[in-house]
């Protein structure tokens, strides 16, 4: 079935993927390092309101200063940490929980599936803002509570996705073959269903990083966000909203930072997906 | 490698459909775009379009019926209705639809109604019309009923005689509140909420929260109005309002975000700004242990840099406050002395009271308790979160630890004395031009908004005197004395007064901001010569 | 099949009950009420008596369960109540916003499909080449920009700089929907392009593609007939989720473009604690999601015969 050229091609492709994986892992590590040591890398104290407000980028301030006379570059660095950590936590939780529910629901079917999907209907249909208000009142402000509020309302997306995947894979020939060969349900789920459904879920998850960063900021007006003076990229962008025409750097700086984070994690996600792809490993 | 090359080649050859699709898409977009037309033109004649952020149900301005919640604001702002008396630029009472008044005794007011004025319904304005209107007002409007304390109204020719249930020194002020717009009750209120008033413009159509269309009242008693048609558009989004003024789709804007001001500070536009009595102020919570220490309150009052807030953070679009009222009130501005920003002095006050930073973490302690305060505020006024962060920075320099609770659910927190220490809000302090309102609503034992639980026997005594005093001069003196008490106790810190601005295209004249915030569209508004 | 659909629609009733009760309870937990919110907005303090009277008039002084009971009893008689804020009847107020929301949702989905499927396929067949990287980069940009940013950018470009569109466009017309729909479509296309690319790549790696090529079937035919068809399931799941949230309205975009849809209505109502409107919104969302799921399930079955067999076992 495979000729020599194709085999060589496969090997070349694997090497290429490994190479890319290394590059993007390095980039991600660099980003994480920058984020972890944000405070040390800051040229100024990110909370010190000591400069002339709204200075354009250049001069002593690479990214300019904000309305309160703080160095924007320092705030972007520190804000990147707040945003990246809370968003990664959020996306990891909802992707894992959603996938678990979806796979179980799709595999078992029947009553369990019916109930799970009704619960997810309720969560999807429920206005997130109402829920966030209640969380803010019950648990108080702070970014961790914003993560909780968003997690509760966002997992069903992954459940739906995983369920769809599971249903398709479950009825495929190789799962039938595995079942005939005596594989138990957990084995089938772990060996066939999970590896084969990771692709779309992983892509959705990394794509969600940017969206969730903004969603987290969207709750800040309820008091459900980073407590001042902590910097956070999403809120920095939305606070600067009406300055888009007059002082654009206040919005663009955090925007570029979000873009960099999104791009790095997405590229890494793609590569990881390529590595995880069962077809790549089957063909070794 | 070779095969791959071949594959992409074949792809290239076969990829026409995609290009075709992309071209179709571009065409579709272009078609959608080129269909774009001009902003809708008004009827024949001159049209003035005002974009306003506040004319909506959320502000209780549903229509132009002054007897409905706060809709009187829209009634008076957009030139539909007028009141018996009005405020001068110095916020003093002057006649408007009335020509004068006589205080017969403490309870009886004799008001002369202006002759030669007709409602837009065609009915002449007389004492009977005023009586019908005010009687209906106090029947349906709870706030007006409580303010006016009207017992009976008698009408004879052009003379209205109002008896109040108890001495009401501020009756004329309350009659000048937008709810006091005199409308023709015989013409009534349409289903849309349109009424017949006496103002320069007549409402012809209204969609709540969207738009109001008015035409010129050619019979207007105060001269010929300058435009044939006026349109008021509700635009709640500040950025949309900005762009609508830039594109020329609106001729003037109310409620422009400060950040957009630089776009209009040129020859193409005219600004009219003034201070309103909406004050940004802090209330100290007497129910919290740490705030009961006078030194702590004093240090906070000395640790707030009001000048920087106004000059740098608001870009100069505000007015530094001393007391509760802005400068143009006789009893406002510099009539009282407030503590100025003095971080070193604040530190000294705290040292002297035993608040010292013993563990070197930058936060002072006393008796094992850290000098930590919870700062409560809400986000719906864009300046408040900004003020919070600025105050946080200066207070932390002095040795406080400040946690900000910026929450939309401020009511729940506020009513719990154990949940906060310092509350920053933006409230109107003298909506009727009279000082009494602020004290009765915020500072006395029974005040509905005395959030901090402030109590001062001397203040109660002066408040009682104020409510029985008819002489405006004496009222002013009392107001000064009472504000000074608040400041000496450090129970309140008044940071700034809101600047209200109307921005108009340069081809519009006569749009002038007024300190009471509710005279906007008048007969003076006209195309610039 | 008909029974299946009927059963699914019947499940709406318990969901509606649960969800309306939950939203009622949570709004109660969230504190404040319409009377206090209005007071805060006007910046004026009124006496406790006036506040109490206003509360009594709206029935807000009653215990929570009674309020819910009253609301439910009215609903069963077909009365959804009147808004606490505008005094309008809820049902007509709500229904009058639906055309705008439906049009916006439909056009944005259409634009998203038009953008993302061709771009996604293009990126997949040019995997790891310049075109692919360019498309992916664009999708990261689209993914990092918040809605308001794209909206203001489009408005600035097309309304102020080019003057092709008016800034203020309240009427629900095909022309006026273009900018708000493009705003939403840009963000969604950024996601879908990547999903399509991934799904197509996955299919392209399968043996049948190589088989088809070996048999001399033109690549274009394989792409359209087999590859696209097989990745439709994934795209469909995501698309239905988007349709749901689009039909729920998009408050930010609506308020920037003065687009009178249900999203802004709902967000305003939540902020003002306008319970009757919130309840109507919550019910609308529940109906959407149940219907959307039903359609998804049915189309899975139609698209993929294997699931039809699997479903038959139930």
């Amino acid at each position: 079935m495979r000729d020599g050229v194709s085999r060589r091609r496969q090997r070349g492709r694997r090497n290429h993927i490994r190479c890319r994986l290394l590059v993007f892992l390095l980039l991600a590590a660099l980003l994480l390092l920058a984020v972890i040591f944000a405070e040390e890398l800051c040229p100024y104290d990110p909370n010190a309101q000591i400069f002339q407000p709204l200075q354009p980028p250049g001069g002593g301030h690479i990214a300019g200063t904000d309305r309160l006379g703080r160095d924007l570059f320092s705030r972007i660095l520190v804000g990147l940490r707040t945003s990246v950590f809370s968003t990664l936590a959020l996306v990891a939780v909802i992707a894992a929980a959603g996938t678990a529910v979806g796979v179980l629901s799709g595999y078992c079917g029947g009553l369990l599936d019916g109930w799970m999907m009704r619960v997810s209907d309720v969560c999807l249909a429920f206005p997130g803002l109402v829920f966030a208000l209640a969380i803010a009142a019950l648990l108080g402000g702070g970014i961790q509570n914003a993560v909780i509020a968003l997690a509760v309302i966002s997992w069903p997306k992954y459940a739906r996705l995983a369920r769809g995947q599971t249903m398709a894979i479950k009825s495929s020939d190789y799962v039938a073959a595995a079942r005939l060969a005596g594989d138990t349900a957990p084995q089938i789920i772990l060996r066939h269903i999970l590896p084969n459904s990771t692709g779309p879920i992983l892509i959705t998850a990394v794509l969600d990083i940017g969206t969730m960063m903004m969603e987290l900021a969207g709750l800040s007006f309820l008091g459900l966000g980073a407590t001042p003076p902590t910097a956070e990229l999403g809120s920095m962008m939305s606070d600067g909203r009406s300055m888009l025409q007059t002082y654009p750097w206040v919005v663009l700086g955090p925007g570029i930072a979000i873009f960099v984070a999104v791009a790095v994690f997405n590229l890494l996600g793609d590569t990881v997906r390529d590595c995880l792809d069962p077809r790549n490993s089957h063909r070794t | 490698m070779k095969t791959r090359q071949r594959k992409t080649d074949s792809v290239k050859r076969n990829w026409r459909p995609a290009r075709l699709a992309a071209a179709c898409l571009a065409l579709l977009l272009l078609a959608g775009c080129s269909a774009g037309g001009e902003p809708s033109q008004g009827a024949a004649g001159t049209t003035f379009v005002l974009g306003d952020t506040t004319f909506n149900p959320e502000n209780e301005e549903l229509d132009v019926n002054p007897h409905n919640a706060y809709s009187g604001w829209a009634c008076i702002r957009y030139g539909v209705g007028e009141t018996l008396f009005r405020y001068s630029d110095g916020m003093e009472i002057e006649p408007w639809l009335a020509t004068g008044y006589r205080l017969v005794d403490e309870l009886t007011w004799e008001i002369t109604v202006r002759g030669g004025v007709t409602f837009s319904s065609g009915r002449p304005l007389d004492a009977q019309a005023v009586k019908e209107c005010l009687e209906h007002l106090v029947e349906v409007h709870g706030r007006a009923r409580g303010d006016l304390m009207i017992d009976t109204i008698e009408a004879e020719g052009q003379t209205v005689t109002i008896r109040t249930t108890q001495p009401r020194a501020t009756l004329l002020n309350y009659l000048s509140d937008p709810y006091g717009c005199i409308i023709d009750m015989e013409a009534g209120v349409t289903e849309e909420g349109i009424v017949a008033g006496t103002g320069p413009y007549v409402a012809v159509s209204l969609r709540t929260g969207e738009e109001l269309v008015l035409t010129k009242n050619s019979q207007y008693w105060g001269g010929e109005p300058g435009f044939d048609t006026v349109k008021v558009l509700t635009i709640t989004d500040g950025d949309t309002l900005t762009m609508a003024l830039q594109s020329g789709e609106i001729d003037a804007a109310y409620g422009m975000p400060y950040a957009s001001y630089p776009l209009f500070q040129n020859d193409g536009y005219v600004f009219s700004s003034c201070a309103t009595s909406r004050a940004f102020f802090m209330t100290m919570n007497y129910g919290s242990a740490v705030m009961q220490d006078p030194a702590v309150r004093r240090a906070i009052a000395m640790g707030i840099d009001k000048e920087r807030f106004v000059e740098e953070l608001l870009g100069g679009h505000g007015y530094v406050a001393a007391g509760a009222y802005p400068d143009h009130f006789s009893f406002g501005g510099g009539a009282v002395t407030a503590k100025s920003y003095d971080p070193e002095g604040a530190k000294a006050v705290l040292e002297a009271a035993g608040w010292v930073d013993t563990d070197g973490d930058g936060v002072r302690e006393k008796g094992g308790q850290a000098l930590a305060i919870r700062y409560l505020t809400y986000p719906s006024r864009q300046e408040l979160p900004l003020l919070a962060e600025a105050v946080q920075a200066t207070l932390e320099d002095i040795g406080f630890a400040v946690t900000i609770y910026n929450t939309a659910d401020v009511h729940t927190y506020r009513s719990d004395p154990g949940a906060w220490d310092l509350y920053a809000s933006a409230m109107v302090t003298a909506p009727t031009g009279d000082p009494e309102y602020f004290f009765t609503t915020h500072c006395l034992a029974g005040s509905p908004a005395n959030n901090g639980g402030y109590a001062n026997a001397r203040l109660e005594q002066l408040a009682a005197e104020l409510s029985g005093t008819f002489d405006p001069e004496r009222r002013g003196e009392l107001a000064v004395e009472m504000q000074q008490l608040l400041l000496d106790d450090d129970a309140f810190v008044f940071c700034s007064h809101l600047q209200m601005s109307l921005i108009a295209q340069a081809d519009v004249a006569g749009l002038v901001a007024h300190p009471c915030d509710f005279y906007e569209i008048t007969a003076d508004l006209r195309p610039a010569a | 099949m008909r029974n299946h659909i009927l059963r699914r629609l019947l499940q709406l009733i318990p969901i509606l009950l649960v969800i309306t009760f939950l939203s009622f309870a949570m709004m109660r937990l969230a504190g404040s009420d319409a009377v206090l919110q209005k007071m805060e907005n006007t910046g004026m303090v009124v006496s406790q008596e006036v506040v109490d009277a206003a509360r009594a008039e709206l029935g807000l002084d009653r215990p929570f369960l009674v309020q819910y009971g009253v609301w439910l009893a009215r609903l069963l008689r077909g009365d959804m109540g009147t808004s606490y804020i505008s005094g309008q009847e809820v049902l007509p107020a709500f229904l009058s916003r639906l055309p705008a929301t439906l049009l916006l949702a439909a056009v944005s989905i259409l634009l998203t499909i038009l953008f993302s499927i061709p771009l996604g396929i293009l990126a997949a067949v040019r995997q790891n080449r310049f075109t692919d990287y360019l498309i992916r980069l664009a999708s990261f940009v689209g993914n990092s920009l918040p809605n308001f940013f794209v909206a203001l950018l489009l408005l600035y470009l097309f309304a102020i700089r080019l003057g092709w569109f008016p800034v203020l466009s309240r009427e629900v017309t095909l022309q006026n929907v273009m900018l708000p729909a493009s705003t939403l479509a840009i963000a969604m296309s950024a996601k879908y392009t990547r999903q399509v690319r991934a799904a197509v790549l996955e299919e392209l790696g399968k043996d049948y593609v190589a088989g088809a090529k070996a048999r001399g079937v033109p690549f274009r035919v394989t792409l359209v007939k087999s590859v696209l068809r097989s990745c439709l399931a994934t795209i469909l799941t995501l698309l239905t989720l988007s349709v749901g949230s689009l039909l729920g309205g998009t408050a930010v975009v609506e308020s920037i473009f003065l687009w009178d849809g249900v999203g802004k209505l709902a967000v305003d109502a939540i902020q003002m604690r306008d319970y009757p409107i919130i309840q109507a919104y919550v019910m609308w969302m529940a109906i959407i999601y149940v219907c959307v799921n039903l359609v998804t399930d049915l189309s899975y079955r139609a698209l993929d015969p294997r699931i039809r067999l699997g479903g038959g076992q139930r």
Side-chain angles (χ1 to χ4, degrees):
Chain A
M1 196 158 129
R2 291 182 201 103
D3 58 332
V5 178
S6 157
R7 205 169 295 137
R8 221 178 310 137
R9 193 183 112 198
Q10 283 292 337
R11 202 173 305 133
R13 190 166 160 225
R14 271 203 315 281
N15 285 338
H16 183 67
I17 290 173
R18 280 202 196 119
C19 186
R20 268 196 301 149
L21 183 67
L22 205 67
V23 170
F24 294 136
L25 267 178
L26 260 173
L27 269 178
L30 211 65
L31 183 75
L32 281 179
L33 275 178
V35 154
I36 290 167
F37 295 104
E39 236 118 72
E40 282 70 23
L41 292 170
C42 282
Y44 303 100
D45 175 357
N47 298 330
Q49 307 175 3
I50 46 175
F51 305 105
Q52 175 73 32
L54 296 172
Q55 285 179 55
H61 304 278
I62 310 171
T65 59
D66 71 358
R67 219 160 24 149
L68 284 142
R70 298 176 290 204
D71 178 57
L72 256 179
F73 182 69
S74 307
R75 285 191 74 72
I76 289 170
L77 265 181
V78 174
L80 197 60
R81 173 169 61 192
T82 323
S83 295
V84 163
F85 284 166
S86 49
T87 313
L88 284 184
L90 172 63
V91 172
V93 167
I94 55 176
T99 309
V101 170
V103 167
L104 275 181
S105 182
Y107 190 83
C108 302
L111 213 58
L112 180 80
D113 183 33
W115 274 102
M116 289 289 198
M117 288 305 109
R118 295 301 79 75
V119 172
S120 83
D121 276 344
V122 169
C123 286
L124 277 174
F126 204 76
L129 202 52
V130 172
F131 191 77
L133 270 174
I135 290 273
L138 277 183
L139 304 177
I143 198 150
Q144 70 281 9
N145 293 337
V147 169
I148 294 175
L150 273 180
V152 173
I153 47 188
S154 315
W155 65 269
K157 183 163 87 176
Y158 291 89
R160 283 284 151 78
L161 203 59
R163 176 173 172 267
Q165 293 282 324
T166 308
M167 280 166 64
I169 298 166
K170 189 182 145 194
S171 44
S172 66
D173 299 339
Y174 58 88
V175 170
R179 206 177 282 137
L180 281 179
D183 275 9
T184 59
Q187 280 172 324
I188 292 175
I189 289 179
L190 284 177
R191 279 194 205 146
H192 300 287
I193 293 180
L194 271 183
N196 280 298
S197 50
T198 354
I201 291 167
L202 194 72
I203 290 178
T204 311
V206 286
L207 278 170
D208 250 4
I209 289 175
T211 319
M212 287 296 168
M213 242 179 234
M214 290 317 299
E215 296 252 322
L216 277 174
L219 296 181
S220 68
F221 78 101
L222 302 175
L224 265 183
T227 24
T230 311
E232 190 261 302
L233 294 180
S235 312
M236 286 165 77
M237 275 195 97
S238 22
D239 290 348
R241 184 181 135 166
S242 50
M243 294 186 252
L244 204 52
Q245 277 194 67
T246 41
Y247 312 102
W249 59 90
V250 177
V251 194
L252 287 177
I256 291 170
I258 294 181
F259 165 73
V260 169
V262 166
V264 167
F265 285 114
N266 272 280
L267 289 169
L268 181 66
D270 276 1
T271 322
V272 169
R273 189 199 69 94
D274 286 348
C275 292
L276 286 180
D277 193 337
R279 268 172 305 280
N280 285 338
S281 52
H282 286 168
R283 282 172 192 180
T284 34
Chain B
M1 225 44 213
K2 221 171 166 186
T3 37
R4 195 159 156 215
Q5 192 60 50
R6 208 160 50 218
K7 183 178 158 194
T8 45
D9 279 346
S10 74
V11 168
K12 214 176 254 169
R13 246 183 292 116
N14 292 319
W15 204 237
R16 289 216 186 86
R19 276 193 208 142
L20 205 69
C24 289
L25 187 68
L27 270 176
L28 187 86
L29 272 176
L30 275 174
C33 296
S34 55
E38 297 293 298
S40 57
Q41 290 289 318
T46 50
T47 303
F48 172 77
V49 186
L50 174 75
D52 191 318
T53 50
T54 59
F55 182 38
N56 57 31
E58 282 73 32
N59 280 302
E60 297 201 58
E61 290 179 36
L62 296 134
D63 47 42
V64 291
N65 172 15
H67 299 180
N68 181 10
Y70 284 86
S71 301
W73 284 65
C75 182
I76 202 164
R77 265 183 177 165
Y78 310 135
V80 175
E82 292 166 319
T83 49
L84 289 171
F85 295 87
R86 57 168 283 152
Y87 306 108
S88 67
D89 292 347
M91 287 303 277
E92 265 145 29
I93 295 293
E94 59 184 33
W96 202 7
L97 285 181
T99 49
Y101 75 96
R102 193 167 68 89
L103 188 59
V104 181
D105 61 54
E106 277 203 328
L107 296 176
T108 316
W109 300 74
E110 207 180 86
I111 297 167
T112 316
V113 178
R114 188 180 293 275
V117 176
T118 50
F119 289 108
S120 58
S121 57
R123 179 184 178 186
L125 175 74
D126 59 7
Q128 181 60 29
V130 173
K131 173 181 152 82
E132 285 166 20
C133 173
L134 292 180
E135 278 175 348
H136 181 261
L137 171 70
V138 294
E139 187 190 323
V140 300
H141 201 282
R143 191 161 49 89
R145 185 164 51 238
D147 289 346
L148 297 166
M149 298 183 178
I150 289 178
D151 184 17
T152 58
I153 304 177
E154 278 159 43
E156 206 192 308
Q158 296 296 111
T159 310
V160 188
T161 310
I162 298 176
R163 272 185 74 82
T164 55
T165 52
Q166 43 182 286
R168 200 66 180 142
T170 48
L171 183 76
L172 299 186
N173 295 78
Y174 284 121
L175 282 176
S176 311
D177 187 283
Y179 59 57
C181 282
I182 303 300
I183 54 170
D184 178 9
M185 292 315 298
E186 270 177 13
V189 183
T190 68
E191 205 168 297
E192 294 169 296
I194 289 177
V195 294
T198 59
Y201 291 93
V202 184
V204 288
S205 79
L206 186 153
R207 276 184 296 158
T208 299
E210 291 183 24
E211 69 166 18
L212 167 70
V213 180
L214 309 124
T215 55
K216 172 161 79 175
N217 177 3
S218 37
Q219 262 94 58
Y220 184 57
W221 61 275
E224 174 89 5
F227 281 97
D228 297 316
T229 309
V230 168
K231 254 191 197 174
V232 179
L233 303 178
T234 306
I235 305 171
T236 38
D237 189 278
D239 297 309
T240 312
L241 188 74
T242 305
M243 295 209 205
L245 188 62
Q246 281 180 293
S247 75
E249 285 166 61
I250 56 174
D251 299 302
Y254 174 90
M256 187 68 74
Y258 294 140
S260 302
Y261 281 19
L263 297 170
F264 304 111
Q265 282 159 338
N266 55 51
D267 292 343
Y269 304 90
V270 277
F271 275 69
S272 176
S273 310
C274 69
T276 68
S277 79
R278 192 184 280 269
F280 294 88
F281 65 95
M282 274 149 217
T283 309
M284 313 262 185
N285 184 6
Y286 279 72
S288 125
V290 65
M291 299 300 284
Q292 277 165 6
D293 184 342
V296 171
R297 295 201 305 273
R298 175 136 312 173
I300 292 174
M302 295 165 83
I304 294 171
D305 192 349
K306 303 174 188 177
E307 273 82 12
R308 175 172 172 259
F309 174 63
V310 170
E311 289 312 317
E312 286 187 9
L313 274 49
L314 301 186
H317 305 297
Y319 304 89
V320 172
Y325 314 102
D327 216 13
H328 51 77
F329 287 77
S330 60
F331 44 82
V336 290
T337 31
K339 284 159 197 85
S340 49
Y341 178 54
D342 179 7
E344 292 313 312
K347 285 177 194 164
V349 168
L350 289 172
E351 296 282 341
W355 291 98
V356 188
D357 182 13
T358 42
D359 53 9
D361 64 349
V363 179
R364 293 168 189 272
E365 302 90 23
K366 181 179 172 178
Q369 198 205 348
L371 188 54
I373 59 167
R374 293 157 297 172
Y375 183 113
L376 180 64
T377 193
Y378 51 93
S380 58
R381 280 259 151 205
Q382 51 163 342
E383 300 87 352
L384 283 173
L386 213 55
L387 177 65
E389 288 205 54
V391 169
Q392 182 181 45
T394 51
L395 287 186
E396 289 192 340
D397 276 347
I398 296 168
F400 283 87
V402 182
T403 315
I404 295 174
Y405 291 134
N406 179 18
T407 165
D409 182 29
V410 73
H411 306 283
T412 316
Y413 282 90
R414 207 175 52 195
S415 51
D416 174 6
W420 58 280
D421 301 303
L422 196 62
Y423 170 50
S425 57
M427 302 297 272
V428 178
T429 54
T432 58
D434 184 83
E436 198 176 341
Y437 168 86
F438 179 71
F439 298 106
T440 52
T441 51
H442 283 85
C443 315
L444 304 179
S447 296
N450 186 351
N451 301 303
Y454 175 63
N456 181 322
R458 175 76 185 137
L459 188 75
E460 301 281 339
Q461 206 181 341
L462 291 173
E465 191 189 336
L466 182 65
S467 78
T469 305
F470 280 67
D471 173 29
E473 208 163 302
R474 176 67 191 140
R475 290 182 74 83
E477 284 167 24
L478 283 169
V480 171
E481 199 181 336
M482 289 166 77
Q483 286 177 80
Q484 198 61 56
L485 281 179
L486 303 181
L487 295 176
D488 291 345
D489 279 344
D490 298 306
F492 293 87
V493 183
F494 299 93
C495 297
S496 76
H497 285 102
L498 180 76
Q499 181 189 62
M500 193 267 288
S501 287
L502 286 161
I503 307 177
Q505 312 275 4
D507 59 2
V508 174
L511 190 68
V512 181
H514 191 277
C516 71
D517 202 8
F518 44 68
Y519 307 137
E520 251 172 59
I521 293 179
T522 63
D524 296 336
L525 175 74
R526 57 189 62 251
Chain C
M1 192 54 121
R2 190 176 300 152
N3 277 345
H4 178 74
I5 296 176
L6 214 64
R7 204 171 58 232
R8 289 289 290 269
L9 288 179
L10 273 179
Q11 285 171 346
L12 242 178
I13 295 169
I15 291 182
L16 282 180
L17 275 176
V18 168
I19 210 164
T20 53
F21 183 80
L22 271 181
S23 78
F24 225 86
M26 284 193 179
M27 288 313 289
R28 184 39 83 96
L29 278 179
S32 189
D33 61 33
V35 175
L36 290 174
Q37 281 314 120
K38 285 198 271 190
M39 194 172 93
E40 184 195 286
N41 274 6
T42 53
M44 304 275 240
V45 179
V46 289
S47 65
Q48 193 58 45
E49 293 85 67
V50 175
V51 170
D52 289 342
R55 282 208 179 115
E57 198 185 322
L58 299 179
L60 290 172
D61 53 342
R62 303 212 224 158
F64 156 66
L65 281 175
V66 175
Q67 282 185 49
Y68 182 70
V70 168
W71 178 81
L72 200 63
R74 273 202 190 149
L75 181 73
L76 293 177
R77 290 199 305 270
D79 175 11
M80 297 186 75
T82 51
S83 157
Y84 290 172
I85 306 299
S86 68
Q88 285 175 301
E89 271 188 63
V90 170
L91 197 60
F94 197 80
L95 291 180
S96 71
R97 313 280 181 125
L98 278 189
T101 297
L102 292 176
L103 182 67
L104 181 57
V107 177
S108 356
I109 286 285
L110 196 73
L111 286 180
T112 305
I113 293 175
L114 282 178
F115 280 131
S116 61
I117 292 188
L119 285 177
I121 296 174
L122 190 64
V125 293
R126 300 277 175 91
Q127 193 192 3
N128 292 328
R129 299 193 41 156
F130 180 71
T131 324
D132 179 28
Y133 275 105
L134 197 70
I135 291 174
R136 283 158 83 189
L137 205 69
S139 94
F140 301 151
V141 174
N143 207 231
S144 341
L145 295 180
N147 264 346
F148 73 80
F149 190 93
V150 179
L152 293 178
L153 218 60
L154 288 180
L155 209 51
Y156 182 75
L157 202 68
F158 290 104
I160 304 233
R161 285 278 144 232
L162 298 171
W164 291 356
F165 292 87
V167 175
L168 307 174
S169 50
R170 263 211 179 90
E171 288 76 34
V172 177
T173 63
L174 206 55
Q175 181 211 335
N176 288 344
V177 81
M178 291 314 284
L179 285 186
S182 309
T183 306
L184 294 171
I186 285 175
M188 289 198 302
S189 308
K191 290 197 167 190
Y192 288 111
T193 306
R194 311 267 284 108
Q195 300 282 6
V196 172
R197 174 183 175 273
V200 171
L201 273 182
E202 191 147 343
E203 288 299 313
L204 284 181
K206 285 190 178 158
D207 292 335
Y208 76 85
V209 177
K213 200 172 142 198
R215 286 202 311 276
V217 181
F219 181 64
R220 178 163 39 103
V221 175
T222 323
L223 197 66
V224 175
K225 288 217 168 139
S226 313
V227 175
L228 255 185
R229 196 184 147 88
S230 329
C231 44
L232 269 182
T234 318
I235 296 167
L236 203 72
T237 315
L238 291 160
L239 215 54
T240 48
L241 284 165
S242 301
V243 170
S245 56
L246 279 176
L247 290 177
T250 39
V252 175
V253 172
E254 284 173 20
S255 89
I256 290 178
F257 291 101
L258 303 183
W259 192 255
D260 226 0
V262 294
K264 187 169 173 332
L265 182 76
V267 169
D268 285 349
I270 291 168
Q271 275 174 335
M272 296 301 292
R273 310 291 196 273
D274 193 351
Y275 299 155
I277 298 268
I278 299 171
Q279 293 298 70
Y281 178 72
V282 163
M283 285 170 61
W284 161 244
M285 292 302 286
I287 293 169
I288 290 173
Y289 273 103
V290 170
C291 292
V292 158
N293 285 337
L294 186 59
V295 173
T296 324
D297 273 10
L298 293 180
S299 39
Y300 273 158
R301 279 153 217 261
L303 272 176
D304 198 337
R306 292 171 303 181
I307 297 181
R308 199 156 20 185
L309 286 177
Q313 288 165 2
R314 275 210 264 164

